Amino acid sequence: VAAWLADSLTDTSTDDVYRVTEGNPLFVEEVLRVGGDGKHLKLSDGIKVLLDAHLARLAPEARALLEIAAVVGRQFGSRELAVLSATPHNEVLAALGSACELDVLEALDPEHHQFTHVLLRERLHQSLPIARRNQAHWKMGILAEALEEDAATSARHLLEGIDAGDPEHAARATLRAAEQAQRRLAFESAIALGERGLAVLGSAPSLVACELERVVGEGLLRLGAVEAGYFTAVCVLMG
């Protein structure tokens, strides 16, 4: 990909092109033809047609399952997919097996799979109606909490599906993820999470909002943004 870009007249990042195309020559050519602005590379209609043609080979029930799997991410487990879709596990495994035969998925082990290309996952995710997508993200966030997965995973899904759920629940989950990021000294991530949690809560005062403000203020102070961090901390103390 780097050699290909060196021969082109684009200033697009090699990393960005590879992230989108994974080195697929046809996708690289189409991305370079259409262009984009760094991290917001555009997918041409030609790529979308190719992706849709590949996905059209799936049986309707398999595609419906994979749309939910796309909400989970590039990689997913068959058991969590069975829970999210309310489908018996043996039926899920059969559908995933057929998708592997069509080269849409590849098996990592008997119960874990991944999409063969990131664009297949993104196309399925985009094809979900917004209401169904929000519901699936919310259910995945709740499931991640129940399984005690990484706090950031739960928070990400709950925030993505906020329109199908409870803002305060999502904010509490985001607070846990932000505090986890703080403990890992990932202060920029903690600030970003804190700000997203505050955004879903709105302007109404609450204990959760106060804690999120505290996390943001501490993060700013630890990153050296003393004035902004001090201002946030004073706002928290003043109520």
Side-chain angles (χ1 to χ4, degrees):
V1 172
W4 201 329
L5 264 66
D7 291 335
S8 71
L9 299 178
T10 181
D11 57 357
T12 304
S13 162
T14 299
D15 289 341
D16 291 337
V17 173
Y18 187 80
R19 173 180 54 80
V20 172
T21 66
E22 296 186 346
N24 182 298
L26 179 59
F27 292 165
V28 172
E29 184 175 0
E30 285 292 299
V31 165
L32 292 181
R33 183 178 67 81
V34 175
D37 55 345
K39 295 186 181 300
H40 299 92
L41 295 173
K42 300 175 183 177
L43 295 185
S44 69
D45 290 339
I47 290 181
K48 293 175 183 177
V49 168
L50 288 171
L51 294 171
D52 289 342
H54 196 48
L55 293 170
R57 299 162 64 197
L58 293 166
E61 60 273 15
R63 180 178 178 121
L65 280 173
L66 292 193
E67 287 174 344
I68 298 175
V71 168
V72 179
R74 173 81 181 272
Q75 299 181 4
F76 58 91
S78 57
R79 293 196 180 274
E80 64 185 349
L81 183 55
V83 172
L84 292 172
S85 63
T87 304
H89 187 236
N90 63 321
E91 294 182 18
V92 169
L93 287 177
L96 298 183
S98 67
C100 287
E101 292 175 0
L102 295 174
D103 199 32
V104 175
L105 298 179
E106 57 186 342
L108 303 176
D109 62 43
E111 293 190 356
H112 292 85
H113 295 71
Q114 73 173 12
F115 290 96
T116 54
H117 199 286
V118 66
L119 293 183
L120 290 170
R121 180 258 166 184
E122 290 183 6
R123 190 64 175 157
L124 282 167
H125 187 259
Q126 293 169 359
S127 70
L128 265 176
I130 293 177
R132 283 185 59 203
R133 190 190 313 165
N134 289 338
Q135 291 169 357
H137 272 296
W138 186 262
K139 289 179 67 175
M140 182 58 208
I142 297 297
L143 179 60
E145 282 185 329
L147 297 175
E148 298 183 348
E149 294 186 0
D150 182 71
T153 299
S154 175
R156 174 171 60 83
H157 284 291
L158 293 175
L159 290 170
E160 287 287 335
I162 190 64
D163 288 341
D166 172 32
E168 186 156 345
H169 186 133
R172 287 197 300 270
T174 305
L175 174 60
R176 289 193 294 272
E179 290 175 334
Q180 182 184 76
Q182 271 192 328
R183 291 193 293 273
R184 295 173 176 172
L185 307 183
F187 299 116
E188 290 183 353
S189 294
I191 292 168
L193 284 163
E195 290 175 341
R196 289 196 68 186
L198 289 167
V200 302
L201 282 175
S203 57
S206 69
L207 181 58
V208 178
C210 182
E211 288 297 301
L212 287 166
E213 290 277 12
R214 175 186 57 78
V215 168
V216 171
E218 289 180 6
L220 290 169
L221 288 171
R222 295 295 289 270
L223 288 177
V226 176
E227 185 174 345
Y230 178 75
F231 175 79
T232 302
V234 168
C235 288
V236 171
L237 290 173
M238 293 180 65

